[in-house]
Amino acid sequence: MQNKVLVVGASGLVGTAAATSFARAGWPVVAASRRYPELLDDASIEFVSMDLQDKEACAEICQKLTGITHVVYTAVYELPGLVAGWSNPNQIRTNGQMLENLLVSLTQSNRLQHVTLLQGTKAYGAMVGPM
């Protein structure tokens, strides 16, 4: 079975770079974000519009995706203020729900081998204490 990567949050700088890098390495790539990535200029990359906050729509799209073996997750929901935003319970809950909406749906129709979460320490730890 050939590896195939889904890059989620592909309209951001890191997501676009990941999608482009995997495509240049010869991987089949599906790029997902709410809007088409302006910097994504590789015609070999498939694009799907996906709103991770919409559980039903996310599930519908994930059912159509097949052969996904790897996920690069760069999506993020942010509120204003670096530490203040990241300690906001709504932001924490929303980011957790977005990841859950994707993985629960995606694992029903694909055999994932690896999931990579790409975020900085602001996403994973700012609410715990000073850096």
Side-chain angles (χ1 to χ4, degrees), residues 2-6 27-30 46 66-71:
Q2 181 180 17
N3 290 328
K4 183 177 183 180
V5 65
L6 171 65
W27 286 57
V29 177
V30 178
E46 178 186 348
T66 58
I68 302 295
T69 58
H70 293 68
V71 174

Side-chain angles (χ1 to χ4, degrees), residues 92-107:
I92 295 167
R93 187 173 34 259
T94 301
N95 277 298
Q97 191 63 58
M98 288 167 49
L99 181 59
E100 183 178 332
N101 289 347
L102 174 74
L103 291 180
V104 167
S105 299
L106 196 60
T107 56

Side-chain angles (χ1 to χ4, degrees), residues 35-66:
R35 62 189 185 285
Y36 186 82
E38 293 178 22
L39 299 175
L40 198 62
D41 58 2
D42 190 320
S44 70
I45 298 173
E46 178 186 348
F47 172 75
V48 294
S49 179
M50 184 184 296
D51 182 353
L52 297 172
Q53 292 185 51
D54 185 335
K55 184 177 182 176
E56 288 77 29
C58 187
E60 184 177 321
I61 291 165
C62 286
Q63 287 175 354
K64 295 175 185 175
L65 295 175
T66 58

